[in-house]
Tab-separated table of all heavy atoms in Angstrom:
chain	number	residue	atom	x	y	z
A	1128	TYR	N	-206.402	101.257	62.912
A	1128	TYR	CA	-205.700	102.453	63.126
A	1128	TYR	C	-204.525	102.313	63.977
A	1128	TYR	O	-204.619	101.471	64.984
A	1128	TYR	CB	-206.760	103.480	63.757
A	1128	TYR	CG	-207.454	104.410	62.729
A	1128	TYR	CD1	-208.635	103.859	62.060
A	1128	TYR	CD2	-206.996	105.619	62.498
A	1128	TYR	CE1	-209.208	104.732	61.146
A	1128	TYR	CE2	-207.639	106.440	61.663
A	1128	TYR	CZ	-208.772	105.979	60.991
A	1128	TYR	OH	-209.410	106.848	60.046
A	1129	ILE	N	-203.455	102.996	63.803
A	1129	ILE	CA	-202.254	102.995	64.599
A	1129	ILE	C	-202.216	104.261	65.382
A	1129	ILE	O	-202.142	105.402	64.830
A	1129	ILE	CB	-201.059	102.824	63.740
A	1129	ILE	CG1	-201.118	101.591	62.797
A	1129	ILE	CG2	-199.814	102.818	64.565
A	1129	ILE	CD1	-201.242	100.353	63.637
A	1130	LEU	N	-202.183	104.156	66.697
A	1130	LEU	CA	-201.990	105.373	67.508
A	1130	LEU	C	-200.522	105.687	67.676
A	1130	LEU	O	-199.676	104.848	67.875
A	1130	LEU	CB	-202.567	105.056	68.934
A	1130	LEU	CG	-202.573	106.352	69.849
A	1130	LEU	CD1	-203.853	106.306	70.564
A	1130	LEU	CD2	-201.353	106.283	70.865
A	1131	GLU	N	-200.224	107.006	67.463
A	1131	GLU	CA	-198.953	107.524	67.437
A	1131	GLU	C	-198.590	108.393	68.703
A	1131	GLU	O	-198.896	109.499	68.708
A	1131	GLU	CB	-198.516	108.291	66.165
A	1131	GLU	CG	-198.296	107.453	64.940
A	1131	GLU	CD	-197.015	106.700	65.032
A	1131	GLU	OE1	-196.107	107.094	65.776
A	1131	GLU	OE2	-196.901	105.761	64.225
A	1132	ALA	N	-198.259	107.748	69.744
A	1132	ALA	CA	-197.833	108.402	70.957
A	1132	ALA	C	-196.591	109.193	70.620
A	1132	ALA	O	-195.757	108.769	69.940
A	1132	ALA	CB	-197.582	107.435	72.136
A	1133	CYS	N	-196.521	110.477	71.013
A	1133	CYS	CA	-195.430	111.333	70.695
A	1133	CYS	C	-194.854	112.102	71.827
A	1133	CYS	O	-195.607	112.278	72.871
A	1133	CYS	CB	-195.945	112.470	69.616
A	1133	CYS	SG	-196.622	111.786	68.125
A	1134	SER	N	-193.639	112.584	71.696
A	1134	SER	CA	-193.007	113.320	72.714
A	1134	SER	C	-192.857	114.752	72.215
A	1134	SER	O	-192.865	115.004	71.012
A	1134	SER	CB	-191.609	112.719	73.020
A	1134	SER	OG	-191.715	111.422	73.600
A	1135	PRO	N	-192.717	115.716	73.190
A	1135	PRO	CA	-192.536	117.161	72.708
A	1135	PRO	C	-191.390	117.291	71.842
A	1135	PRO	O	-190.212	116.630	72.032
A	1135	PRO	CB	-192.280	117.771	74.040
A	1135	PRO	CG	-192.933	116.981	75.004
A	1135	PRO	CD	-192.783	115.634	74.590
A	1136	GLY	N	-191.625	117.911	70.619
A	1136	GLY	CA	-190.497	118.222	69.695
A	1136	GLY	C	-190.477	117.162	68.545
A	1136	GLY	O	-189.720	117.399	67.607
A	1137	ASP	N	-191.255	116.109	68.590
A	1137	ASP	CA	-191.390	115.293	67.451
A	1137	ASP	C	-192.051	116.018	66.291
A	1137	ASP	O	-192.759	117.009	66.553
A	1137	ASP	CB	-192.226	113.972	67.776
A	1137	ASP	CG	-191.499	113.058	68.763
A	1137	ASP	OD1	-190.345	113.287	69.135
A	1137	ASP	OD2	-192.165	112.043	69.180
A	1138	LEU	N	-191.909	115.616	65.056
A	1138	LEU	CA	-192.668	116.085	63.964
A	1138	LEU	C	-193.416	115.011	63.308
A	1138	LEU	O	-192.730	113.925	62.896
A	1138	LEU	CB	-191.673	116.765	62.950
A	1138	LEU	CG	-192.217	117.173	61.649
A	1138	LEU	CD1	-193.372	118.243	61.842
A	1138	LEU	CD2	-191.127	117.676	60.590
A	1139	VAL	N	-194.681	115.127	63.084
A	1139	VAL	CA	-195.467	114.158	62.380
A	1139	VAL	C	-195.956	114.800	61.053
A	1139	VAL	O	-196.549	115.879	61.111
A	1139	VAL	CB	-196.731	113.750	63.217
A	1139	VAL	CG1	-197.448	112.628	62.373
A	1139	VAL	CG2	-196.332	113.207	64.574
A	1140	ILE	N	-195.579	114.190	59.938
A	1140	ILE	CA	-195.857	114.707	58.568
A	1140	ILE	C	-197.027	113.856	58.112
A	1140	ILE	O	-197.026	112.623	58.187
A	1140	ILE	CB	-194.613	114.470	57.679
A	1140	ILE	CG1	-193.431	115.171	58.319
A	1140	ILE	CG2	-194.946	115.205	56.367
A	1140	ILE	CD1	-192.069	114.678	57.604
A	1141	ILE	N	-198.079	114.583	57.724
A	1141	ILE	CA	-199.378	113.962	57.400
A	1141	ILE	C	-199.800	114.235	55.991
A	1141	ILE	O	-200.083	115.407	55.540
A	1141	ILE	CB	-200.507	114.505	58.327
A	1141	ILE	CG1	-200.034	114.302	59.835
A	1141	ILE	CG2	-201.796	113.764	58.144
A	1141	ILE	CD1	-200.853	115.045	60.734
A	1142	HIS	N	-199.890	113.224	55.104
A	1142	HIS	CA	-200.323	113.418	53.668
A	1142	HIS	C	-201.783	113.802	53.786
A	1142	HIS	O	-202.527	113.340	54.557
A	1142	HIS	CB	-200.194	112.040	52.958
A	1142	HIS	CG	-200.436	112.138	51.520
A	1142	HIS	ND1	-201.685	112.142	50.974
A	1142	HIS	CD2	-199.575	112.133	50.478
A	1142	HIS	CE1	-201.574	112.147	49.676
A	1142	HIS	NE2	-200.362	112.246	49.303
A	1143	GLY	N	-202.125	114.683	52.850
A	1143	GLY	CA	-203.467	115.289	52.757
A	1143	GLY	C	-204.621	114.272	52.532
A	1143	GLY	O	-205.767	114.657	52.785
A	1144	SER	N	-204.295	113.032	52.068
A	1144	SER	CA	-205.340	112.020	51.800
A	1144	SER	C	-205.439	111.044	52.870
A	1144	SER	O	-206.328	110.187	52.791
A	1144	SER	CB	-205.197	111.474	50.474
A	1144	SER	OG	-205.395	112.454	49.447
A	1145	VAL	N	-204.353	110.914	53.749
A	1145	VAL	CA	-204.486	109.792	54.760
A	1145	VAL	C	-205.471	110.069	55.857
A	1145	VAL	O	-205.706	111.271	56.291
A	1145	VAL	CB	-202.999	109.644	55.431
A	1145	VAL	CG1	-202.774	110.689	56.493
A	1145	VAL	CG2	-202.888	108.281	55.996
A	1146	LEU	N	-206.211	109.104	56.179
A	1146	LEU	CA	-207.220	109.191	57.154
A	1146	LEU	C	-206.618	109.163	58.603
A	1146	LEU	O	-205.774	108.382	58.877
A	1146	LEU	CB	-208.237	107.997	57.067
A	1146	LEU	CG	-209.126	108.101	55.756
A	1146	LEU	CD1	-209.914	106.725	55.514
A	1146	LEU	CD2	-210.033	109.204	55.749
A	1147	HIS	N	-207.059	110.079	59.455
A	1147	HIS	CA	-206.489	110.116	60.769
A	1147	HIS	C	-207.640	110.682	61.637
A	1147	HIS	O	-208.633	111.284	61.207
A	1147	HIS	CB	-205.268	110.911	60.858
A	1147	HIS	CG	-205.386	112.265	60.403
A	1147	HIS	ND1	-205.462	112.669	59.035
A	1147	HIS	CD2	-205.304	113.552	60.958
A	1147	HIS	CE1	-205.489	113.925	58.826
A	1147	HIS	NE2	-205.413	114.496	60.053
A	1148	LYS	N	-207.396	110.599	63.000
A	1148	LYS	CA	-208.440	111.059	63.979
A	1148	LYS	C	-207.720	111.183	65.354
A	1148	LYS	O	-206.515	110.841	65.510
A	1148	LYS	CB	-209.539	110.013	64.047
A	1148	LYS	CG	-209.115	108.657	64.472
A	1148	LYS	CD	-210.291	107.586	64.504
A	1148	LYS	CE	-209.782	106.212	64.989
A	1148	LYS	NZ	-210.919	105.330	65.001
A	1149	SER	N	-208.433	111.686	66.318
A	1149	SER	CA	-207.984	111.704	67.675
A	1149	SER	C	-209.199	111.591	68.614
A	1149	SER	O	-210.290	112.062	68.290
A	1149	SER	CB	-207.083	112.890	67.982
A	1149	SER	OG	-208.001	114.079	68.002
A	1150	GLU	N	-209.017	110.959	69.737
A	1150	GLU	CA	-210.047	110.787	70.714
A	1150	GLU	C	-210.188	111.915	71.686
A	1150	GLU	O	-209.258	112.849	71.638
A	1150	GLU	CB	-209.838	109.488	71.519
A	1150	GLU	CG	-209.674	108.199	70.627
A	1150	GLU	CD	-210.935	108.003	69.770
A	1150	GLU	OE1	-212.037	108.245	70.143
A	1150	GLU	OE2	-210.717	107.426	68.637
A	1151	ARG	N	-211.293	111.991	72.418
A	1151	ARG	CA	-211.446	113.013	73.386
A	1151	ARG	C	-210.336	112.947	74.477
A	1151	ARG	O	-209.874	111.807	74.759
A	1151	ARG	CB	-212.838	112.809	74.032
A	1151	ARG	CG	-213.189	113.832	75.098
A	1151	ARG	CD	-214.667	113.502	75.615
A	1151	ARG	NE	-215.078	114.513	76.536
A	1151	ARG	CZ	-215.804	115.640	76.159
A	1151	ARG	NH1	-216.100	115.803	74.878
A	1151	ARG	NH2	-216.175	116.506	77.069
A	1152	ASN	N	-209.915	114.024	74.991
A	1152	ASN	CA	-208.996	114.094	76.053
A	1152	ASN	C	-209.757	113.766	77.347
A	1152	ASN	O	-210.426	114.622	77.921
A	1152	ASN	CB	-208.302	115.491	76.232
A	1152	ASN	CG	-207.187	115.552	77.172
A	1152	ASN	OD1	-206.975	114.537	77.920
A	1152	ASN	ND2	-206.616	116.699	77.316
A	1153	THR	N	-209.524	112.599	77.932
A	1153	THR	CA	-210.164	112.199	79.083
A	1153	THR	C	-209.235	112.389	80.302
A	1153	THR	O	-209.606	112.066	81.495
A	1153	THR	CB	-210.582	110.703	79.103
A	1153	THR	OG1	-209.446	109.874	78.794
A	1153	THR	CG2	-211.600	110.548	77.939
A	1154	SER	N	-208.098	112.964	80.144
A	1154	SER	CA	-207.180	113.002	81.218
A	1154	SER	C	-207.151	114.435	81.845
A	1154	SER	O	-207.795	115.324	81.388
A	1154	SER	CB	-205.677	112.796	80.590
A	1154	SER	OG	-205.209	114.010	80.013
A	1155	PRO	N	-206.434	114.603	82.940
A	1155	PRO	CA	-206.331	115.963	83.503
A	1155	PRO	C	-205.250	116.789	83.020
A	1155	PRO	O	-204.980	117.882	83.489
A	1155	PRO	CB	-206.051	115.584	85.033
A	1155	PRO	CG	-205.258	114.306	84.942
A	1155	PRO	CD	-205.860	113.569	83.830
A	1156	LYS	N	-204.705	116.377	81.844
A	1156	LYS	CA	-203.596	117.072	81.285
A	1156	LYS	C	-203.945	117.620	79.936
A	1156	LYS	O	-204.688	117.075	79.155
A	1156	LYS	CB	-202.343	116.277	81.119
A	1156	LYS	CG	-201.839	115.734	82.431
A	1156	LYS	CD	-200.520	114.830	82.313
A	1156	LYS	CE	-199.989	114.367	83.614
A	1156	LYS	NZ	-198.884	113.491	83.478
A	1157	THR	N	-203.461	118.889	79.533
A	1157	THR	CA	-203.542	119.389	78.208
A	1157	THR	C	-202.699	118.611	77.263
A	1157	THR	O	-201.835	117.802	77.597
A	1157	THR	CB	-203.123	120.877	78.145
A	1157	THR	OG1	-201.786	120.984	78.690
A	1157	THR	CG2	-204.057	121.746	78.946
A	1158	ARG	N	-203.018	118.793	75.960
A	1158	ARG	CA	-202.249	118.169	74.855
A	1158	ARG	C	-201.963	119.284	73.852
A	1158	ARG	O	-202.477	119.293	72.691
A	1158	ARG	CB	-202.972	116.990	74.238
A	1158	ARG	CG	-202.088	116.072	73.297
A	1158	ARG	CD	-202.861	115.667	72.114
A	1158	ARG	NE	-203.199	116.853	71.201
A	1158	ARG	CZ	-203.879	116.737	70.121
A	1158	ARG	NH1	-204.450	115.622	69.793
A	1158	ARG	NH2	-204.115	117.802	69.419
A	1159	PHE	N	-201.072	120.190	74.142
A	1159	PHE	CA	-200.730	121.302	73.218
A	1159	PHE	C	-199.940	120.786	72.015
A	1159	PHE	O	-198.997	120.020	72.192
A	1159	PHE	CB	-199.887	122.401	73.927
A	1159	PHE	CG	-200.733	123.343	74.640
A	1159	PHE	CD1	-201.612	122.972	75.755
A	1159	PHE	CD2	-200.756	124.755	74.348
A	1159	PHE	CE1	-202.368	123.879	76.483
A	1159	PHE	CE2	-201.512	125.677	75.019
A	1159	PHE	CZ	-202.308	125.271	76.089
A	1160	ALA	N	-200.317	121.142	70.884
A	1160	ALA	CA	-199.562	120.797	69.693
A	1160	ALA	C	-199.632	122.049	68.694
A	1160	ALA	O	-200.583	122.687	68.629
A	1160	ALA	CB	-200.087	119.555	68.956
A	1161	TYR	N	-198.507	122.260	68.002
A	1161	TYR	CA	-198.453	123.224	66.921
A	1161	TYR	C	-198.571	122.589	65.554
A	1161	TYR	O	-197.756	121.610	65.339
A	1161	TYR	CB	-197.172	124.110	66.995
A	1161	TYR	CG	-197.098	125.055	65.825
A	1161	TYR	CD1	-197.996	126.025	65.557
A	1161	TYR	CD2	-195.917	125.034	64.967
A	1161	TYR	CE1	-197.946	126.856	64.505
A	1161	TYR	CE2	-195.798	125.846	63.913
A	1161	TYR	CZ	-196.777	126.795	63.618
A	1161	TYR	OH	-196.759	127.656	62.524
A	1162	THR	N	-199.474	123.040	64.675
A	1162	THR	CA	-199.566	122.427	63.371
A	1162	THR	C	-199.692	123.479	62.306
A	1162	THR	O	-200.379	124.571	62.595
A	1162	THR	CB	-200.725	121.389	63.318
A	1162	THR	OG1	-200.749	120.765	62.033
A	1162	THR	CG2	-202.026	122.089	63.605
A	1163	PHE	N	-199.218	123.163	61.126
A	1163	PHE	CA	-199.461	124.024	59.969
A	1163	PHE	C	-199.496	123.179	58.759
A	1163	PHE	O	-199.239	121.989	58.799
A	1163	PHE	CB	-198.349	125.177	59.878
A	1163	PHE	CG	-197.021	124.652	59.576
A	1163	PHE	CD1	-196.494	124.489	58.231
A	1163	PHE	CD2	-196.150	124.170	60.613
A	1163	PHE	CE1	-195.223	124.049	58.029
A	1163	PHE	CE2	-194.879	123.651	60.327
A	1163	PHE	CZ	-194.406	123.578	59.101
A	1164	HIS	N	-199.833	123.741	57.604
A	1164	HIS	CA	-200.064	122.969	56.428
A	1164	HIS	C	-199.282	123.613	55.261
A	1164	HIS	O	-199.036	124.822	55.214
A	1164	HIS	CB	-201.538	122.845	56.076
A	1164	HIS	CG	-202.281	122.124	57.115
A	1164	HIS	ND1	-202.728	122.705	58.342
A	1164	HIS	CD2	-202.681	120.795	57.249
A	1164	HIS	CE1	-203.317	121.847	59.104
A	1164	HIS	NE2	-203.385	120.667	58.417
A	1165	MET	N	-199.040	122.811	54.311
A	1165	MET	CA	-198.516	123.207	52.945
A	1165	MET	C	-199.354	122.787	51.886
A	1165	MET	O	-199.895	121.671	52.049
A	1165	MET	CB	-197.082	122.784	52.809
A	1165	MET	CG	-196.058	123.306	53.832
A	1165	MET	SD	-194.372	122.741	53.344
A	1165	MET	CE	-193.597	123.038	54.899
A	1166	VAL	N	-199.511	123.592	50.831
A	1166	VAL	CA	-200.157	123.165	49.613
A	1166	VAL	C	-199.277	123.639	48.437
A	1166	VAL	O	-198.497	124.563	48.580
A	1166	VAL	CB	-201.599	123.814	49.413
A	1166	VAL	CG1	-202.480	123.165	50.453
A	1166	VAL	CG2	-201.609	125.242	49.395
A	1167	GLU	N	-199.457	122.953	47.265
A	1167	GLU	CA	-198.720	123.329	46.175
A	1167	GLU	C	-199.276	124.701	45.599
A	1167	GLU	O	-200.459	124.993	45.742
A	1167	GLU	CB	-198.938	122.235	45.037
A	1167	GLU	CG	-198.103	122.400	43.778
A	1167	GLU	CD	-196.654	122.332	43.992
A	1167	GLU	OE1	-195.972	123.271	44.390
A	1167	GLU	OE2	-196.091	121.162	43.776
A	1168	SER	N	-198.399	125.474	45.011
A	1168	SER	CA	-198.756	126.779	44.461
A	1168	SER	C	-198.859	126.659	42.936
A	1168	SER	O	-198.425	125.746	42.249
A	1168	SER	CB	-197.726	127.808	44.878
A	1168	SER	OG	-196.466	127.507	44.361
A	1169	PRO	N	-199.562	127.716	42.258
A	1169	PRO	CA	-199.631	127.758	40.815
A	1169	PRO	C	-198.255	127.873	40.266
A	1169	PRO	O	-197.368	128.480	40.896
A	1169	PRO	CB	-200.418	128.949	40.637
A	1169	PRO	CG	-201.192	129.216	41.880
A	1169	PRO	CD	-200.323	128.727	42.964
A	1170	PRO	N	-198.084	127.293	39.043
A	1170	PRO	CA	-199.032	126.665	38.134
A	1170	PRO	C	-199.264	125.173	38.324
A	1170	PRO	O	-199.895	124.526	37.672
A	1170	PRO	CB	-198.407	126.866	36.762
A	1170	PRO	CG	-197.010	126.751	37.043
A	1170	PRO	CD	-196.733	127.368	38.377
A	1171	TYR	N	-198.690	124.745	39.480
A	1171	TYR	CA	-198.709	123.229	39.725
A	1171	TYR	C	-200.021	122.729	40.300
A	1171	TYR	O	-200.356	121.598	40.191
A	1171	TYR	CB	-197.611	122.886	40.638
A	1171	TYR	CG	-196.272	123.371	40.077
A	1171	TYR	CD1	-195.615	124.434	40.720
A	1171	TYR	CD2	-195.549	122.790	38.976
A	1171	TYR	CE1	-194.345	124.876	40.230
A	1171	TYR	CE2	-194.422	123.256	38.575
A	1171	TYR	CZ	-193.783	124.290	39.172
A	1171	TYR	OH	-192.607	124.806	38.677
A	1172	ALA	N	-200.790	123.657	41.009
A	1172	ALA	CA	-202.070	123.188	41.515
A	1172	ALA	C	-202.844	124.542	41.744
A	1172	ALA	O	-202.295	125.687	41.912
A	1172	ALA	CB	-201.898	122.571	42.889
């Protein structure tokens, strides 16, 4: 697994089949992130 440390304002694009994970937050700091998803619409899916 490759850990992707990120800075505010980066964009990470994630294929729906790629395996990924994240560990527990053991630090005294929050890790706010905004995420949304896209899927194909009919008649394509």
Side-chain angles (χ1 to χ4, degrees):
Y1128 267 83
I1129 304 297
L1130 186 139
E1131 284 290 341
C1133 297
S1134 296
D1137 292 354
L1138 170 63
V1139 184
I1140 310 166
I1141 306 169
H1142 188 281
S1144 294
V1145 77
L1146 295 169
H1147 57 289
K1148 61 182 180 178
S1149 67
E1150 303 304 323
R1151 186 180 181 90
N1152 183 358
T1153 59
S1154 80
K1156 297 180 179 180
T1157 54
R1158 193 222 64 185
F1159 277 61
Y1161 173 58
T1162 183
F1163 66 95
H1164 297 80
M1165 296 183 196
V1166 295
E1167 186 67 277
S1168 62
Y1171 307 105

